[in-house]
Amino acid sequence: MRKVSVIGAGNVGATCANVVARKNIVNNVVLLDIKEGVAEGKALDMWQTASVDYFHTRVKGVTNDYEATKDSEVVVITSGLPRKPGMSRDDLISTNAKIVKEVTENVVKYSPNAIIIVVSNPLDVMAYTAFMTAKLPKERVIGMAGILDSSRYKAFIADELKISPNCIHGLLLGGHGDSMVPLPRYTSVAGIPVQQLIDKDRLDAIIERTRKGGGELVKLMGTSAWYAPGAAAAQMVEAVIDDEQCFHPVAAYLDGEYGLKDLYLGVPIILGRQGIERIIQIDLNKEEREMLDKSAESVKATLETLKGMNILD
């Protein structure tokens, strides 16, 4: 029986579970949350759409019962709190790192062979937290960021050109957030370089909007996005379950790749049954290299804050 578990039944986790169920790629999806009845209710609601949307994946919700997640092939961690008014960046890191550490310990206890996909924020640092806690090979703990960021990038390009985003191939590197590094030189529309189709000033505006894509949604809705992040995590689940061997941008643990070590950062990889099958190292020009190094420094600064809290000791 093929199983995927999603930890955290908030908007992102519930969306991810819902999308995975509709893909019909596993027998069971388990949705777990600490709040009594929330995961059970959302899972039941999803299951009652099965005959409408023609899927047969069983969806089960549980309250803090990690035994129900036993032998999952993939576990998606969305647990954590959003940053609230008055909460400092350090408070957010401390709170979510403790949550992700505890969740990861339980995940590994019941599913020691699982691929772990981390969605919790701040993403790059929470992926590092899960990796250090799980003590699994680096290929099996992956951060979801690049797929979400590139989907926003492609959506904005599609709006500009009035075409389907499915025609667009785009690549981003670096940390998840304002320091991300969109790469126009590696962006194309049906094989045509995007720089031939969009003027530089308009493309620069699209890149800046992509960097601040999450903030734009918070400003509009008063809360973080969930449809796109949940769907992006589900796409990663599908790539692992179906052993797709597809090219995806994700947050991966770097151990010398791109000249960087001991941090999670967005890079292109091949994603399959073993998790990260390999990291793809692309050629970067001087400007791109400088942007990537700057992004890495930003992630390192946040990581040093985490390490100073001694949560991972």
Side-chain angles (χ1 to χ4, degrees):
M1 298 290 284
R2 312 198 72 179
K3 182 192 292 184
V4 167
S5 291
V6 180
I7 313 301
N11 288 333
V12 175
T15 298
C16 177
N18 196 31
V19 174
V20 170
R22 279 160 171 69
K23 288 179 180 291
N24 271 332
I25 55 175
V26 292
N27 304 98
N28 296 286
V29 171
V30 176
L31 183 62
L32 181 149
D33 202 272
I34 60 171
K35 190 173 181 181
E36 187 74 37
V38 171
E40 289 89 339
K42 291 187 178 183
L44 180 59
D45 195 15
M46 291 175 207
W47 177 237
Q48 289 171 356
T49 70
S51 63
V52 177
D53 286 343
Y54 297 100
F55 70 89
H56 54 256
T57 302
R58 293 274 175 173
V59 188
K60 178 181 180 181
V62 297
T63 299
N64 220 26
D65 178 14
Y66 281 89
E67 190 169 0
T69 72
K70 186 177 180 180
D71 296 329
S72 295
E73 293 183 50
V74 182
V75 178
V76 181
I77 299 176
T78 71
S79 307
L81 300 178
R83 187 166 173 176
K84 300 176 181 178
M87 178 183 280
S88 72
R89 170 175 156 275
D90 288 4
D91 287 341
L92 179 66
I93 294 169
S94 174
T95 299
N96 283 355
K98 291 172 183 175
I99 292 171
V100 169
K101 180 182 180 183
E102 181 180 353
V103 167
T104 303
E105 289 170 344
N106 281 297
V107 166
V108 174
K109 177 180 178 181
Y110 289 101
S111 300
N113 298 315
I115 304 298
I116 298 175
I117 296 171
V118 181
V119 185
S120 309
N121 278 317
L123 189 283
D124 307 286
V125 177
M126 292 305 107
Y128 187 91
T129 300
F131 170 62
M132 295 300 290
T133 303
K135 297 178 174 58
L136 296 174
K138 61 182 182 177
E139 295 81 10
R140 288 173 50 196
V141 181
I142 316 166
M144 187 290 295
I147 293 177
L148 169 61
D149 294 333
S150 62
S151 70
R152 288 173 174 162
Y153 183 42
K154 289 185 277 188
F156 299 149
I157 291 172
D159 284 343
E160 180 71 17
L161 295 175
K162 296 179 174 56
I163 61 172
S164 166
N166 296 328
C167 302
I168 302 165
H169 293 278
L171 179 61
L172 302 97
L173 303 179
H176 180 53
D178 292 354
S179 71
M180 75 178 70
V181 185
L183 297 175
R185 202 162 59 90
Y186 287 97
T187 304
S188 64
V189 180
I192 302 169
V194 73
Q195 291 156 315
Q196 294 183 21
L197 302 172
I198 301 177
D199 292 340
K200 185 178 184 304
D201 61 336
R202 288 298 307 142
L203 191 54
D204 287 346
I206 287 170
I207 288 171
E208 186 61 19
R209 188 181 181 192
T210 302
R211 286 195 177 107
K212 300 184 183 301
E216 179 181 359
L217 290 161
V218 170
K219 186 176 180 181
L220 289 167
M221 302 187 297
T223 187
S224 300
W226 62 87
Y227 292 125
Q235 186 179 49
M236 292 177 68
V237 171
E238 183 176 27
V240 173
I241 292 294
D242 285 351
D243 195 23
E244 287 182 353
Q245 301 293 315
C246 273
F247 181 103
H248 289 293
V250 305
Y253 182 81
L254 301 184
D255 189 23
E257 297 88 355
Y258 292 93
L260 301 167
K261 297 192 72 171
D262 193 36
L263 80 163
Y264 270 78
L265 201 67
V267 292
I269 60 103
I270 302 300
L271 191 57
R273 179 65 55 80
Q274 303 306 314
I276 296 175
E277 304 283 348
R278 64 183 185 274
I279 293 174
I280 306 299
Q281 298 193 69
I282 61 173
D283 292 331
L284 300 175
N285 60 31
K286 185 174 182 292
E287 180 184 7
E288 293 162 347
R289 179 75 240 188
E290 288 174 350
M291 287 192 296
L292 182 62
D293 288 343
K294 183 178 179 181
S295 183
E297 288 303 317
S298 177
V299 172
K300 286 178 184 177
T302 308
L303 189 54
E304 287 306 312
T305 299
L306 171 68
K307 289 179 178 179
M309 295 173 177
N310 299 318
I311 293 171
L312 302 180
D313 293 348

